[in-house]
Amino acid sequence: MTVQYKVLKPHDVQAAQSHQEFALDVLLGLSKSPKALSCKYFYDAEGNGLFQKIMELPEYYLTECEFEIFRDHRAGIAELIGSSRFNLVELGAGDGQKTRVLIEHFLGVGLVFRYVPIDICEEAVEELLQALEHYFPALQIEGLVSEYFVGLKWLSNQVRDRNVVLFLGSNIGNFSHSEARVFLYSLWNALNDGDCVLIGFDLKKDIRKLTMAYNDSQGITAEFNLNLLRRINRELGGNFDLDQFKYYSAYNVYSGAMESFLISLKQQTVCIDMLNQSFSFDPWEPIHTESSHKYLTSDIIELAEETGYEITEQYYDSRRYFVDSLWQVRKSKAT
Ligand code: AVJ
């Protein structure tokens, strides 16, 4: 008998690791009370496709607002960023559609930079690299498939070039205000004095408008959430019956967030092979899937102050639904 050795390449090792992490997070999340699953697992290839559809929905105003802001203010943004060479690092780049507006302008006015898109979804990064190579053959790009944390590590090793960090589309909204504070301070730690960050915040507004954005008439957002259960079925050998869970999303005035859930429609037990475990659900028992926090301008000012940044400019859309806030890292206090 010959023994067959399977050679693990770094890529496989990473994939196996992230599969393990997913399994562990699902185990922890479904063992909690109330049950919860992390929204970062929305973004497999399927989920990423569904999120692209969400961005095109008439109800999901966030994307068009940020497009409007970039179209109207790209010249101002480019000027404030300044002309010395920099890394343009994007956390949670996704399909990079909005960023393309900025990149095109930056190249047009002769800024010299390397674009570093970072995303948790490998297919998203690959598609983005291909699209950008096609549109901007001269652009230097270095894609990274990873969570935000690894992105910060990458940044802290960049000691020579200036960094401009993009954190767009209200991605920061998935953090609570205190988590956002911790994250932005970690980002500050990874950056150098004078580096810039451009952060997209979705603002507090008419609650009907918010509610509609997360309860679209085509049911795409519901599918996007249910895909998380489908992913558990696919990757961890679960047997979730998707017809027996219903998507629910509502605004919580106290937390200032749209809070989303998948709600069990009956008493049921779900087995997950890879975890060697089953989980029982009561009728109407919720699984928390996502919180999307909304901001006041005063929250943003406070957040920047608390975490070591100076606000350079606030770019609003014409309806004041959304703001892209340009900050500069301050490390040395003038005495
Ligand atoms: C990608 C986190 C900004 O919270 O608005 C869209 C994800 N969830 N519809 C958001 C999402 C439901 C989105 N972010």
Side-chain angles (χ1 to χ4, degrees):
M1 277 256 295
T2 50
V3 180
Q4 291 254 316
Y5 292 97
K6 185 168 190 286
V7 179
L8 284 174
K9 290 168 285 188
H11 181 272
D12 296 332
V13 174
Q14 234 176 38
Q17 252 169 20
S18 61
H19 192 236
Q20 289 286 335
E21 267 170 34
F22 180 38
L24 185 61
D25 276 350
V26 169
L27 172 62
L28 292 174
L30 294 183
S31 306
K32 270 202 252 186
S33 178
K35 293 183 170 69
L37 292 168
S38 166
C39 63
K40 75 179 180 194
Y41 296 113
F42 281 162
Y43 302 93
D44 63 350
E46 266 74 12
N48 220 58
L50 287 163
F51 183 60
Q52 279 176 313
K53 280 195 187 168
I54 288 175
M55 288 191 288
E56 285 167 14
L57 289 170
E59 293 101 331
Y60 195 72
Y61 58 85
L62 291 81
T63 311
E64 71 199 42
C65 288
E66 204 167 41
F67 261 122
E68 181 194 323
I69 292 169
F70 289 171
R71 268 193 301 266
D72 290 352
H73 297 290
R74 56 195 163 191
I77 295 171
E79 262 170 46
L80 288 178
I81 280 176
S83 56
S84 67
R85 191 192 152 77
F86 61 92
N87 301 308
L88 184 67
V89 180
E90 178 161 16
L91 300 171
D95 69 4
Q97 284 276 14
K98 289 164 289 178
T99 317
R100 206 184 286 175
V101 176
L102 292 181
I103 292 177
E104 185 170 21
H105 183 81
F106 290 176
L107 291 173
V109 296
L111 298 187
V112 182
F113 60 98
R114 166 171 57 155
Y115 180 50
V116 185
I118 300 175
D119 202 275
I120 197 167
C121 177
E122 180 170 358
E123 289 84 355
V125 174
E126 272 165 10
E127 272 173 44
L128 178 56
L129 293 188
Q130 271 178 16
L132 289 176
E133 270 163 18
H134 175 255
Y135 282 102
F136 312 114
L139 179 64
Q140 262 196 68
I141 322 174
E142 193 176 313
L144 222 62
V145 179
S146 84
E147 293 182 30
Y148 297 145
F149 179 71
V150 180
L152 297 190
K153 264 221 141 130
W154 185 94
L155 272 167
S156 60
N157 291 328
Q158 308 302 306
V159 278
R160 279 188 318 187
D161 279 328
R162 216 154 56 87
N163 298 299
V164 175
V165 177
L166 305 175
F167 196 34
L168 306 179
S170 185
N171 280 341
I172 197 167
N174 284 151
F175 293 131
S176 69
H177 292 302
S178 63
E179 288 167 345
R181 211 177 299 129
V182 171
F183 178 78
L184 290 169
Y185 185 67
S186 314
L187 178 62
W188 182 92
N189 257 321
L191 294 172
N192 305 308
D193 189 41
D195 283 355
C196 295
V197 300
L198 183 67
I199 310 175
F201 293 93
D202 193 21
L203 296 170
K204 286 189 171 154
K205 60 180 64 60
D206 185 346
I207 292 171
R208 273 177 308 174
K209 186 84 191 163
L210 291 174
T211 307
M212 277 163 60
Y214 294 82
N215 292 278
D216 66 278
S217 52
Q218 296 170 53
I220 311 280
T221 312
E223 271 307 302
F224 179 57
N225 277 256
L226 284 163
N227 177 58
L228 193 45
L229 304 185
R230 204 175 285 125
R231 183 176 182 183
I232 294 173
N233 287 351
R234 237 187 343 253
E235 293 183 22
L236 306 178
N239 70 346
F240 277 102
D241 179 353
L242 301 202
D243 291 332
Q244 298 305 330
F245 287 87
K246 193 169 156 55
Y247 170 69
Y248 175 78
S249 182
Y251 186 68
N252 179 333
V253 179
Y254 296 117
S255 63
M258 284 302 298
E259 296 180 340
S260 303
F261 304 88
L262 290 166
I263 298 185
S264 173
L265 293 180
K266 60 171 192 187
Q267 166 69 52
Q268 54 185 324
T269 300
V270 174
C271 300
I272 301 178
D273 286 344
M274 248 208 71
L275 300 179
N276 236 318
Q277 197 162 318
S278 58
F279 301 89
S280 90
F281 291 84
D282 286 338
W284 307 112
E285 182 175 351
I287 309 172
H288 175 260
T289 51
E290 185 179 35
S291 291
S292 302
H293 290 81
K294 308 304 172 189
Y295 279 79
L296 298 173
T297 294
S298 56
D299 296 328
I300 297 170
I301 293 170
E302 203 177 288
L303 196 55
E305 255 169 24
E306 287 168 337
T307 53
Y309 301 83
E310 202 166 273
I311 300 181
T312 312
E313 189 70 75
Q314 304 268 43
Y315 298 102
Y316 294 90
D317 64 297
S318 55
R319 292 177 293 184
R320 293 213 156 218
Y321 282 172
F322 197 95
V323 64
D324 278 292
S325 196
L326 183 63
W327 298 1
Q328 206 162 48
V329 173
R330 280 283 157 259
K331 297 238 165 167
S332 48
K333 278 244 163 68
T335 44

